[in-house]
């Protein structure tokens, strides 16, 4: 996939109506009050919106929220988003009552440069998730330029994320541009050595990422729950740890493939085990592959921490996906925290992908020390798998 795409800076938007796909899928309070519990995604969209307004564009923003499945669900209206976006921008945000219906069309037609219109939840339309060309065409008809800044949705070929680009000149906003620069840059032309740290819960959910990074990286570090499948595959005892029997052969294949390719593959040499899956479990450190029955591995051990932190110290680029242990329990967050700290100290470009990994880095207080934390969970995984992202592929090449 070509990661080199035109951005808002490469196109003239003065006096034009710009359809801007955002990711305003924000968490809402469960009590039905319409309160937004975290407005991070709305704030993240501000630089592109402000830039477009400064350039003299009229902005028609759109986004999905939740899973209304083609039905109008009042509890999934973007009304609270319009209000919050208005507060953050310091100007009124006009909300359309529909996506491409008469209200949206009339409000889009009347929109003036410097004004912001927000369309209703794109998934209120049945054609959205089907990438219906009629819907895409109707959305495009309201605008003259399409800007995509919804990185969290680029792995989906929907009418508002991909289809619409067939009808308008299409470029990226600043959020997508940064994702392409960092993740795309690391995949296509990394500053070496490239070290990939892979963890999280299951091997099976990371196969695509392991396969792809094995082709690109100089060193691959395995931690988290998936490490026990590698250990068991090599004949180790893993007790009650997370184990995917069906993936043992795959794990061995990967070890062999790494050796054949000259990629350094590091596996844990010790592990922190617990007598139950709980924050207050009894714990001790044992050698990898020597976990007694009744115990389970919940974190990498101190010798492994030293090995892994040493491997990132002189890296040129580090891509990290998947926590090293059950970081949600403070007693088993040490491995993840040590790796985060090591990343904060290296001179390498540091890239964090994956929803839980981003949450871990944030929770442990290292977010502002990383070069890039991807804003898309599923999208960043598919990106690291080397898959084509429909919402990126549809943009104009630079
Ligand atoms: P990401 O969202 O960053 O791609 P994953 O979803 O693959 O990451 O994995 C995150 C989860 O993996 C976390 O909830 C963490 O508790 C869990 N995890 C990490 N290590 C272990 C382990 N040893 N045993 C069980 N779960 C683990
Ligand atoms: Mg996850």
């Amino acid at each position: 996939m070509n990661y080199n795409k035109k951005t808002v800076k490469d196109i003239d938007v003065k006096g034009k109506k710009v359809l801007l796909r955002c990711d305003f899928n924000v968490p809402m309070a469960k009590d039905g009050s319409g309160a937004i519990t975290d407005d991070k995604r709305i704030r993240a969209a501000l630089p592109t919106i402000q830039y477009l307004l400064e350039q003299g564009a009229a902005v028609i923003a759109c986004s999905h929220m939740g899973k209304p499945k083609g039905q109008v669900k009042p509890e999934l209206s973007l009304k609270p988003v319009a209000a919050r976006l208005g507060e953050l921008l310091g100007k009124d945000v006009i909300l359309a009552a529909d996506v491409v219906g008469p209200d949206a069309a009339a409000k889009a037609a009347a929109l003036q440069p410097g004004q912001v219109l927000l369309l209703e939840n794109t998934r209120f339309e049945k054609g959205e998730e089907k990438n219906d060309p009629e819907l895409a065409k109707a959305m495009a008809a309201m605008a003259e330029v399409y800007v995509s800044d919804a990185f969290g949705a680029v792995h989906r070929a929907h009418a508002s994320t991909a289809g619409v680009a067939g009808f308008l000149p299409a470029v990226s906003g600043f959020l997508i541009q940064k994702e392409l620069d960092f993740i795309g840059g690391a995949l296509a032309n990394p500053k070496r050595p490239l070290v990939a740290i892979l963890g999280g819960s299951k091997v099976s959910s990371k196969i695509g990422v392991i396969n792809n990074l094995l082709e690109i990286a100089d060193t691959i570090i395995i931690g988290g729950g998936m490490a026990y499948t590698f250990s068991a595959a090599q004949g180790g005892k893993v007790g009650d740890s997370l184990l995917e029997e069906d993936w043992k052969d795959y794990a061995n294949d990967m070890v062999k493939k790494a050796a054949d390719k000259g990629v350094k593959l590091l596996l844990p040499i010790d592990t922190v085990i617990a007598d139950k899956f709980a924050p207050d479990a009894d714990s001790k450190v044992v050698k990898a592959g020597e976990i007694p029955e009744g115990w389970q591995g919940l974190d990498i051990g101190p010798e492994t921490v030293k090995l892994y932190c040493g491997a990132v110290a002189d890296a040129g680029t580090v891509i990290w996906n998947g926590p090293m242990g059950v970081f949600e329990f403070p007693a088993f967050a040490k491995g993840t925290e040590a790796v985060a700290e090591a990343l904060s100290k290296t001179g390498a470009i540091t890239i964090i992908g994956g929803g839980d990994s981003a949450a871990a880095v944030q929770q442990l207080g290292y977010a502002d020390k990383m070069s890039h934390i991807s804003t898309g969970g599923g999208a960043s995984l598919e990106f690291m798998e080397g898959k084509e992202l429909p919402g990126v592929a549809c943009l104009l090449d630079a």
Side-chain angles (χ1 to χ4, degrees):
M1 192 172 83
N2 179 7
Y3 308 127
N4 207 359
K5 294 292 177 176
K6 283 201 167 144
T7 80
V8 276
K9 295 225 162 150
D10 300 317
I11 196 161
D12 182 18
V13 296
K14 190 171 175 18
K16 291 191 180 154
K17 286 179 182 145
V18 174
L19 180 66
L20 174 65
R21 179 54 157 97
C22 300
D23 180 3
F24 289 150
N25 185 27
V26 290
M28 307 285 281
K30 301 258 181 293
D31 60 6
S33 62
I36 295 167
T37 53
D38 183 353
D39 66 359
K40 192 169 69 214
R41 287 182 172 158
I42 304 177
R43 282 185 282 111
L46 295 177
T48 300
I49 298 176
Q50 271 154 346
Y51 175 81
L52 290 169
L53 295 174
E54 280 160 19
Q55 297 299 307
V59 175
I60 304 171
C62 68
S63 173
H64 75 282
M65 173 164 340
K67 294 182 172 149
K69 306 221 161 104
Q71 313 269 322
V72 175
K73 296 245 167 91
E75 69 276 17
L76 292 175
S77 166
L78 291 185
K79 194 171 178 200
V81 172
R84 184 74 190 116
L85 179 60
E87 282 166 20
L88 292 167
L89 284 172
K91 64 163 64 202
D92 279 345
V93 170
I94 306 160
L95 179 69
D98 43 32
V99 184
V100 288
D103 192 58
K107 284 175 174 158
L111 201 69
Q112 296 300 314
Q115 289 189 313
V116 181
L117 169 67
L118 177 62
L119 304 179
E120 251 306 356
N121 189 339
T122 51
R123 289 191 187 165
F124 284 178
E125 285 287 337
K126 287 194 174 55
E128 165 71 339
E129 295 187 69
K130 295 183 190 130
N131 195 7
D132 174 10
E134 289 306 314
L135 175 61
K137 202 170 163 184
M139 296 186 84
M142 294 187 277
E144 297 157 275
V145 172
Y146 171 69
V147 176
S148 179
D149 220 11
F151 183 72
V154 290
H155 56 315
R156 311 201 188 282
H158 292 172
S160 72
T161 59
V164 66
F167 300 96
L168 290 173
V171 300
S172 74
F174 297 130
L175 280 178
I176 289 193
Q177 187 200 351
K178 188 170 180 244
E179 300 277 359
L180 295 180
D181 282 354
F182 278 96
I183 304 183
L187 298 178
N189 186 21
K191 193 168 165 239
R192 294 189 182 273
L194 169 62
V195 178
I197 308 175
L198 303 175
S201 49
K202 294 181 175 172
V203 178
S204 58
S205 65
K206 297 292 165 75
I207 300 165
V209 180
I210 303 175
N211 282 345
N212 191 41
L213 290 175
L214 209 47
E215 300 293 331
I216 308 171
D218 301 291
T219 301
I220 295 207
I221 291 176
I222 303 279
M226 68 160 84
Y228 305 101
T229 296
F230 280 83
S231 174
Q234 298 182 341
K237 291 192 174 60
V238 299
D240 297 341
S241 306
L242 239 179
L243 170 63
E244 290 179 288
E245 281 287 347
D246 294 350
W247 291 97
K248 279 160 59 175
D249 288 345
Y250 170 84
N252 278 335
D253 288 350
M254 288 303 110
V255 172
K256 182 169 181 308
K257 195 171 165 190
D260 291 347
K261 285 183 164 298
V263 174
K264 208 190 274 175
L265 187 118
L266 301 180
L267 292 167
I269 47 181
D270 59 352
T271 180
V272 180
I273 58 173
D275 61 350
K276 57 182 176 186
F277 187 84
D280 61 346
D282 275 343
S283 72
K284 57 185 178 187
V285 176
V286 296
K287 281 195 186 136
E290 296 183 8
I291 303 177
E293 284 306 318
W295 292 75
Q296 53 189 297
L298 294 187
D299 197 4
I300 53 174
E303 291 302 318
T304 307
V305 162
K306 268 188 228 157
L307 176 72
Y308 290 4
C309 292
V312 302
D314 60 354
T317 308
V318 182
I319 298 187
W320 184 12
N321 168 245
M324 295 291 99
V326 182
F327 73 94
E328 294 92 337
F329 301 159
F332 304 101
K334 290 194 191 85
T336 302
E337 177 154 25
V339 167
E341 192 191 355
L343 257 58
S344 75
K345 287 182 177 153
T346 106
I349 297 167
T350 50
I351 299 167
I352 317 296
D356 292 294
S357 310
V361 166
Q362 233 120 32
Q363 185 187 310
L364 297 167
Y366 290 92
D368 60 344
K369 301 280 191 347
M370 304 301 163
S371 310
H372 179 62
I373 300 180
S374 180
T375 53
S380 69
L381 278 189
E382 292 198 18
F383 202 167
M384 290 183 286
E385 287 171 2
K387 283 195 188 151
E388 176 168 289
L389 302 170
V392 172
C394 69
L395 305 177
L396 292 170
D397 290 337

